[in-house]
Amino acid sequence: MRTGKEILVTRSSMPPIEEYIDMIKQLWDSHWITNMGTLHNQLEKELETFLGENYVQLTVNGHMALELAIQSMNFAAGSEVITTPFTFVSTTYAIIRNRLEPVFCDIKEDLTIDESKIEDLITEKTVAVVPVHVYGNPCNVEGIEEIAKRHNLKVIYDAAHAFGECHHGKGISAYGDLSIFSFHATKVYNTIEGGAVCCRNEEQYKKLYNLKNFGIQSEELVTDVGSNAKMNEFSAAMGLCNIKHFENERVKRKGVVEQYKELLCDLGQITFGINEDIEKSNYAYFPVIFETEELRNRVYENLAKNNIRARKYFYPLTSDVAYFGDKYSSMDLKRARYYSDRILVLPLYADLPSADVERIVLIVKETVQKY
Ligand SMILES: *Cc1c(COP(=O)(O)O)cnc(C)c1O
């Protein structure tokens, strides 16, 4: 028997319905509902301002943003890309779907790629590094840049978790040759489904534009084997509404995170999986690391019995999903496997009531103390 009202790990941010209706009304005048419409172009501009970026290319989702960002680099098929297995499968699949080989690198205590292990994995086939600012924890961007420069590698950041963050004086998307965001409904900022590639120059921006629209440059000129990865107007409208509430939601999320930390800080056998050093966080996730896998699983099950859906992100590692069999099982991914076995992401969203946080914490505490 499951008891209590259901609490999911997250809940999509939505603007007041009147704001959304106001925004989409114009679509019934124009009948222009996709293919780089007015709202798409307006959102692109607003996000450029918000992020401090010069070239933001919107996409239909975060996965296609990453897949096309990698495609835009024109790497030779079979080239190797060094990446982290402690991420959502999208990161790994974007590499494989570009006919490239993922080479998995272990992670550090902050759960991001261990840059000190990258150089050992470089071969003559290595062309790029695809790190992830996992849970919004910034990678060692300076260290990675130095290695990439030394070995002439491209760096494409999967910043799907890091929207709205600042690190070492810059917006997080300022790092790397390209950075991508996801605006999926479950992310901290959403356009229902959506994503973006932050480009460094006009040439990259145009290339990505081309790739997201079948490679069509003009009515009679087709120059790339592109995809269809355009953001539609209803998504752009959601993005224009949600961006107005983002800072307010950031403050509310911060409050939830602080409540969790305060209530859990004196409990032994757990640590927090969030980087405290970040200049400006988005408070997207609240990951907790338990001392053992068994304890993590017990907490997960006890929460589930109370209809609370914590999630084992990221378990299994992307290198260990069933599709790969044991292809990567001999890779040295000790830390990644350690954390993957022990991590649990607790529910977090702007309007999560503080009484619910107390209830969640109580179950966590009881389980840990009985263990
Ligand atoms: C969500 C996510 C993606 C993919 O984004 P979608 O918008 O869902 O396609 C890619 N990488 C990471 C790390 C993610 O969490």
Side-chain angles (χ1 to χ4, degrees):
M1 248 275 286
R2 301 188 186 279
T3 52
K5 82 171 181 321
E6 189 171 42
I7 303 174
L8 300 178
V9 71
T10 190
R11 199 176 80 151
S12 299
S13 300
M14 292 170 82
I17 190 167
E18 300 75 25
E19 286 180 23
Y20 187 67
I21 291 170
D22 261 3
M23 192 66 79
I24 61 172
K25 260 188 191 140
Q26 56 185 290
L27 302 174
W28 269 260
D29 297 327
S30 67
H31 283 249
W32 186 304
I33 57 179
T34 187
N35 282 26
M36 285 59 96
T38 311
L39 299 179
H40 168 284
N41 296 340
Q42 191 183 331
L43 181 61
E44 226 167 68
K45 289 273 158 309
E46 285 202 18
L47 290 183
E48 283 167 3
T49 306
F50 179 83
L51 296 165
E53 288 281 344
N54 290 321
Y55 302 97
V56 169
Q57 193 61 261
L58 295 176
T59 56
V60 66
N61 57 47
H63 177 80
M64 285 310 295
L66 187 57
E67 201 169 303
L68 297 183
I70 296 171
Q71 189 188 343
S72 74
M73 296 286 169
N74 290 319
F75 299 129
S79 300
E80 293 175 358
V81 175
I82 296 172
T83 188
T84 169
F86 193 81
T87 181
F88 185 49
V89 283
S90 169
T91 318
T92 303
Y93 291 171
I95 295 167
I96 293 176
R97 289 170 57 83
N98 273 291
R99 297 171 186 265
L100 303 166
E101 277 295 323
V103 174
F104 294 107
C105 182
D106 208 358
I107 59 173
K108 299 176 296 188
E109 274 173 21
D110 70 359
L111 308 171
T112 66
I113 194 166
D114 185 347
E115 68 284 349
S116 74
K117 299 211 164 112
I118 291 177
E119 284 193 294
D120 281 347
L121 299 171
I122 294 174
T123 71
E124 65 279 12
K125 283 172 138 184
T126 310
V127 290
V129 187
V130 175
V132 180
H133 303 300
V134 67
Y135 306 132
N137 291 352
C139 297
N140 179 345
V141 289
E142 292 84 7
I144 292 169
E145 185 177 341
E146 193 193 300
I147 294 163
K149 275 213 175 112
R150 197 154 52 229
H151 297 273
N152 200 20
L153 307 176
K154 299 288 185 196
V155 181
I156 300 160
Y157 279 106
D158 181 339
H161 297 175
F163 182 83
E165 295 198 322
C166 291
H167 180 59
H168 292 177
K170 291 189 209 171
I172 195 82
S173 52
Y175 297 99
D177 293 282
L178 291 168
S179 271
I180 73 97
F181 290 121
S182 162
F183 305 147
H184 185 257
T186 54
K187 301 299 206 276
V188 71
Y189 165 74
N190 85 80
T191 62
I192 309 171
E193 293 263 6
V197 185
C198 297
C199 309
R200 302 290 159 250
N201 53 52
E202 195 175 348
E203 192 188 337
Q204 283 181 336
Y205 175 84
K206 282 187 171 160
K207 177 80 177 175
L208 263 311
Y209 181 97
N210 215 26
L211 290 177
K212 80 175 186 183
N213 189 27
F214 300 103
I216 298 171
Q217 282 216 4
S218 65
E219 261 178 66
E220 297 182 8
L221 181 64
V222 181
T223 57
D224 267 302
V225 178
S227 187
N228 179 1
K230 308 180 298 289
M231 179 183 283
N232 74 64
E233 290 291 272
F234 290 85
S235 280
M238 191 61 129
L240 286 165
C241 294
N242 277 341
I243 197 69
K244 294 195 185 82
H245 300 280
F246 182 78
E247 289 303 342
N248 188 31
E249 295 228 330
R250 190 202 304 261
V251 173
K252 288 193 193 171
R253 283 173 169 273
K254 181 172 191 240
V256 177
V257 167
E258 279 173 356
Q259 192 190 353
Y260 267 129
K261 288 205 305 210
E262 195 182 307
L263 295 175
L264 285 169
C265 67
D266 56 356
L267 184 67
Q269 307 192 61
I270 67 163
T271 51
F272 306 139
I274 41 177
N275 189 337
E276 306 284 340
D277 287 340
I278 183 157
E279 206 169 290
K280 193 170 189 187
S281 172
N282 61 11
Y283 307 96
Y285 300 93
F286 192 70
V288 172
I289 301 155
F290 293 89
E291 248 175 24
T292 67
E293 180 176 9
E294 194 191 358
L295 178 56
R296 187 270 309 263
N297 291 346
R298 276 195 200 179
V299 172
Y300 171 85
E301 279 152 24
N302 284 342
L303 288 169
K305 276 184 204 149
N306 288 277
N307 248 338
I308 297 161
R309 312 269 159 221
R311 294 293 297 271
K312 298 175 194 174
Y313 294 144
F314 287 98
Y315 172 87
L317 298 178
T318 66
S319 52
D320 296 344
V321 298
Y323 174 79
F324 294 129
D326 56 11
K327 187 171 178 189
Y328 302 111
S329 58
S330 64
M331 296 211 77
D332 178 17
L333 300 171
K334 245 185 253 86
R335 276 222 195 89
R337 294 204 167 93
Y338 177 94
Y339 288 114
S340 177
D341 286 342
R342 287 164 179 78
I343 202 143
L344 194 65
V345 174
L346 299 182
L348 169 58
Y349 42 89
D351 290 318
L352 183 63
S354 94
D356 285 348
V357 175
E358 281 171 19
R359 202 154 70 82
I360 293 163
V361 166
L362 197 65
I363 296 164
V364 174
K365 278 192 161 168
E366 277 176 3
T367 313
V368 170
Q369 280 155 359
K370 268 193 212 143
Y371 184 67

